[in-house]
Amino acid sequence: MFHKILIANRGEIAVRVIRACRELGISTVAVYSTADENSLHVKFADEAICIGPPKSRDSYLNVTSVLSAAEVADAEAVHPGYGFLAENADFAEMCENCGIKFIGPSSQAMRLMGNKIVAKTQMEKVKIPVLPWSKTAVKDEKEAVEMAKKIGFPVIIKAAAGGGGKGMKLVHSQASLGNAFHTAHSEALAAFGDGSVYIEKYSESPRHVEIQIIADNHGNVVHLGERDCSIQRRHQKILEEAPSPALDDKLRNAMGEAAIKVAKYIGYTNAGTVEFLLDKNRRFYFMEMNTRVQVEHPVTEMVTDIDIVKEQIRIAAGEKLRFKQKHIRLKGHAIECRINAEDPDTFAPSPGKITRLNIPGGPGVRVDSAIYCDYTIPPHYDSLIAKLIVYGDTRLEAISRMKRALDEFTVEGIKTNIPLHKKILNEHDFIEGRVDINFLNRYV
Ligand code: MV4
């Protein structure tokens, strides 16, 4: 096992990783920008190294600074958390070359899944269902028109280097295809330095259901069931739950088996998530694979009793999985509300000083956060300030427990989206489990 791990992240996920290390008896090195001197991850880690000014580019995204910190502190491994360098295959490769274990998949597996055209091509080879698509990048407007006609409108244009909704364009008819193609191409080029785009059949109002997988370096791959992440706004997830109200054991097994097949085929190791769209006819289609620990991993931890972050560390250290598929049993129901420092009506970020704080507790309540009273939320990073996770024996118990916990949660000095969560939890369709990716467009 490792003796010392550097956490290349900040906020709640840095704290989450430090907690796992502590419990495993591993010492921790935090890195921080000058805006994060008073952060909880700096206070909780055994050592902390300043890696630059507030801007992410100059600190948390600065590969050289992060690797130098790991060298100086003599860390044997780096945990990237999510965001920042977590899905940067070049960074993972540099870690490998420096003899520092990257706690995640190989740079090769990351690269495969990073290009969505390559990823979909691989999936088709092993007969994982995908929506009809162009099979390759479309290089000009003429090709785009031919493809869209063949596939049938509506179609969606996606960036090969994109993911998570970045650089997507929905197209309803041929009239708007030309413009959409050129915009998608230029946006992709500007954002990713790669303008390649492809075309796919658009699925109307599906659910977003993702399967958590975990794989060791000895050929063992296990899935930990699904998360339903349909409640999102502009590709930012807001509320997630496990299990999905839409799945039964038969569909869960089919999707889980598909996810395992994906992981085995590409030689994937460590924790990963295979994203699917699930349509009205309960057919599922591969979307993309996320090669990191996800924000919403706690809901899976609650219903499986597996500590995903500890498992990531054990796997990176070369250990075998301590469980087989038959040992995984989903029990009860978990919901996560992402608490953001933002205006609940306009969604504008609301950084600033927290002047009063009460964190909920009691049975079945977990809060993953890095805030404390009198802490000032810096304006430079994302607005997630806490994840409120509840567990219940049933979905209805989890819902009423979440409402109770949200009532206990007081944050003063800044605005939060707590009122939005209360609204969602009172919607009839949500209570009945009738959600899809357009849920929030309809109700808020
Ligand atoms: C789609 C789609 C409908 N049809 N692809 C958004 C994020 C990226 N992972 C894929 N996304 C979508 N791809 C086809 N062919 C709808 C979405 C989508 C979406 C997916 C999951 C969760 C929320 C979403 C919100 C808008 C669009």
Side-chain angles (χ1 to χ4, degrees), residues 114 116 158-168 192 288 290:
K116 310 303 161 191
K158 294 184 178 183
K166 269 180 276 172
M168 298 190 339
F192 316 111
E288 51 193 73
N290 300 321

Side-chain angles (χ1 to χ4, degrees), residues 1 94 143 176 189 234 256 261 325 345 349 353 421 427:
M1 184 41 75
M94 284 164 88
E143 259 188 35
S176 48
L189 191 60
R234 299 195 182 166
K261 204 193 241 182
Q325 193 62 52
D345 301 313
K353 185 169 173 171
H421 284 298
E427 281 299 338

